[in-house]
Structures are given as structure tokens and as C-alpha cells.
Amino acid sequence: MRDVIGAKDYDLVVVPQIEPTVICMIACIGIRRNFAMHLHGNPRLEPSHLKAKILFFLMRIYFIKRLTYVFGTSPRQLESFKAMFRSNVRQYWLPNPVRRFDALQKPEGEEGCVTFVNVGRFSFQKGQDILLTAFAEAYKLRPNIRLKVVGYGDGEAELRNQIGDLGLAAVVSVEHHPDNPSPALAASDVYVSTSRWEGWSLAICEALRFGLPVISTDCEFGPSDILVDRRLGLLVPVSGGEELVRAMLYYCDHLEEERAHAEFRQNFIDIYDTERVVDVHADALRIAAMGPAPLIA
């Protein structure tokens, strides 16, 4: 890192997340550069092991004052970071760009069935275990529902075991679309996010791009920054439980009237279109690069 960053007179070094930023800034002690940190997740929940705790401590007591800018994926995330680190560093909200997808015709599914879909890394953070538990309860009341769980990750074996233990193998499919979730989104009726925490949620935005209504857990920030209108979707507690089940049942019973809002969802998410957001990112980089370069010493 030191060799690369010191090789040229860079105006700005942008590093994602707190831990890599501290490591990078330690490596560059004595080199005059502007550093911007780009937050993605929830800093309050991320220092879960000793190494992370040490790096967070170093950020709080020393490196925070030497940052030029803090970029974040949601306004409330930046406010949470500011309070957690008692930071006076300038902040800039950089909304995630939402890509466009080729138009896909909805494939024919099982007649009379309502298909839910979840897209994300198979991990504790993304809460697929919460989703499967609620889906199992909803399935007892609405046997016409189906679920697609799309993603990858170390938690796949545990996910498949839970599907088997709940007796859902015939109605829940695990799918892998590593570069493009559009086949699964186009084949579904309702998107469900059960994350325990998020920085934003690009997956929710991409589901809205397809006109799907969204059910999401109301984690500290991210989904609630996006689902600002009832026509976009419903927020439920992070624990899921009965309220998540009720939300799934609601969309089962009101799917046709909810489909009337599909165009509203698609138009709404255009504010995060790549072509619009790229200018926001470019402006942030230009502003941060003009900041006074601190000497890390």
C-alpha cells in the first residue's frame, strides 16, 4: 500500500470501510495525502472481533481527525457514524447507483401461486434464517406461496439444512445468479429483505426497478431511507416474527391491487439511476480532493 500510494502524487485516496482505512493510513504515515473513507455497512455493529475493536479504537482516538471526508451510502448511516466517533469530519452522502436491466418477460409459474424472492449473501447479516422461519408460518396459512432465495456465501449449507428441517424443500428454491439477479426478480411477485443491518440496500432498489413491492426489516438505516412511500413497500421489525408473516399474507391477498403501483416504483427508483448518481460521486471526489492534505505523523 505504501509503495503504491507513495509512487504518485495522488490528490485523494478513497478507502472502503473503517478497518481498511486505518490499515492504509498506518501504512502511509509520513506521506502527505488526502484520505476519504467510504462507509458501506453499520459501523456500530461491525467491530465484532479483537482486531476490529483495535482498529476502531485507533480510528476514534487518532485517525478520525486526519480524514479529509467521510462518504456514506445513506444519510442516517452518516449521522450514526458522526455520533459514534464524535466526528467533525466533513461528510458526503453518495447514493448507490442502481443499474438498468434488459427487459424480461415474466415467465409462466405455477398457476395461482405468489412467489417471494430474496437476493443477498448467505450470511447472518442478511437474515435468511429470519425469512425462512416466517415463510414457514405463512405457508401453513397460504399453501400457494413460493420462495426464491438467491445468492452465495459460506452460509449456504446452513440455509439448505434449515429449508429441509422446516419441510420447505418443495416450495423454496436456492438459486445462484452471481452477476445478474434479473431472472429471479422477473419471475417473482414480491421482494423480501430480512437483513439485521444494512448500509443501504442495493437489492431493494433493484427489486423496485422491476416494479416489485418490497417487505423489509426496519434495520437502523438503509431500507427505511428507501421505502419512504407506502406504495413502495412495508417495513417490519428486525426480528421478523408475526409482523413479517402478516406482511407476506397481505401481499398474497392484495397482489393484484399492489401491481397497480409497479410503474410508480420503477419511476421512483430512477432518482438513483447510474447516469444521475455518477455526477454526485464525481462532485464528491472533486471536493474531497481539494481539501488540505494532512501529514500523518
Side-chain angles (χ1 to χ4, degrees), residues 229-251:
D229 188 292
R230 172 62 181 75
R231 290 168 290 181
L232 299 172
L234 297 173
L235 293 166
V236 299
V238 175
S239 58
E242 292 183 5
E243 290 198 43
L244 176 54
V245 174
R246 283 199 293 270
M248 297 174 82
L249 296 179
Y250 167 80
Y251 282 113

Side-chain angles (χ1 to χ4, degrees), residues 92-129:
Y92 210 115
W93 173 36
L94 299 181
N96 279 331
V98 181
R99 56 185 166 167
R100 291 185 176 272
F101 298 93
D102 294 334
L104 292 177
Q105 185 174 358
K106 184 177 176 62
E108 291 187 12
E110 295 181 62
E111 187 174 354
C113 285
V114 177
T115 301
F116 295 87
V117 62
N118 170 272
V119 179
R121 187 175 66 257
F122 299 149
S123 66
F124 177 78
Q125 177 195 344
K126 299 299 182 180
Q128 286 92 354
D129 57 314

Side-chain angles (χ1 to χ4, degrees), residues 247-258:
M248 297 174 82
L249 296 179
Y250 167 80
Y251 282 113
C252 285
D253 299 340
H254 299 85
L255 188 58
E256 287 306 315
E257 60 193 83
E258 285 293 332

Side-chain angles (χ1 to χ4, degrees), residues 26-75:
I26 290 173
C28 295
I29 285 176
I31 300 175
R32 187 179 294 274
R33 294 289 182 270
N34 291 315
F35 281 89
M37 178 171 61
H38 194 170
L39 299 172
H40 293 276
N42 186 332
R44 196 172 58 79
L45 300 177
E46 288 167 354
S48 57
H49 51 84
L50 180 59
K51 178 184 174 182
K53 286 179 168 58
I54 292 170
L55 293 172
F56 271 58
F57 175 74
L58 291 173
M59 173 60 76
R60 181 178 293 107
I61 67 166
Y62 186 75
F63 290 103
I64 187 71
K65 295 177 288 187
R66 287 157 174 77
L67 286 172
T68 303
Y69 253 93
V70 176
F71 300 148
T73 54
S74 88

Side-chain angles (χ1 to χ4, degrees), residues 64-242:
I64 187 71
K65 295 177 288 187
R66 287 157 174 77
L67 286 172
T68 303
Y69 253 93
V70 176
F71 300 148
T73 54
S74 88
R76 289 169 62 198
Q77 175 201 52
L78 287 169
E79 288 305 310
S80 177
F81 173 84
K82 184 176 182 178
M84 178 180 177
F85 285 87
R86 299 177 183 176
S87 167
N88 294 317
V89 179
R90 290 168 295 180
Q91 299 185 156
Y92 210 115
W93 173 36
L94 299 181
N96 279 331
V98 181
R99 56 185 166 167
R100 291 185 176 272
F101 298 93
D102 294 334
L104 292 177
Q105 185 174 358
K106 184 177 176 62
E108 291 187 12
E110 295 181 62
E111 187 174 354
C113 285
V114 177
T115 301
F116 295 87
V117 62
N118 170 272
V119 179
R121 187 175 66 257
F122 299 149
S123 66
F124 177 78
Q125 177 195 344
K126 299 299 182 180
Q128 286 92 354
D129 57 314
I130 297 171
L131 171 58
L132 288 173
T133 300
F135 181 84
E137 293 302 311
Y139 179 61
K140 294 175 184 177
L141 301 171
R142 301 291 190 278
N144 67 320
I145 62 174
R146 303 292 181 265
L147 173 64
K148 295 178 181 290
V149 185
V150 181
Y152 62 91
D154 295 338
E156 182 170 347
E158 187 176 352
L159 177 70
R160 290 185 181 276
N161 287 338
Q162 186 181 6
I163 292 170
D165 291 344
L166 291 171
L168 299 174
V171 293
V172 177
S173 61
V174 178
E175 302 183 9
H176 302 277
H177 301 287
D179 301 316
N180 187 347
S182 60
L185 292 172
S188 301
D189 301 298
V190 182
Y191 185 83
V192 188
S193 171
T194 46
S195 294
R196 290 179 166 91
W197 72 89
E198 286 285 356
W200 184 243
S201 179
L202 190 55
I204 286 178
C205 293
E206 291 183 344
L208 293 171
R209 178 74 88 190
F210 278 80
L212 300 184
V214 173
I215 303 169
S216 177
T217 46
D218 190 12
C219 45
E220 189 173 350
F221 41 75
S224 59
D225 292 307
I226 302 167
L227 303 178
V228 295
D229 188 292
R230 172 62 181 75
R231 290 168 290 181
L232 299 172
L234 297 173
L235 293 166
V236 299
V238 175
S239 58
E242 292 183 5

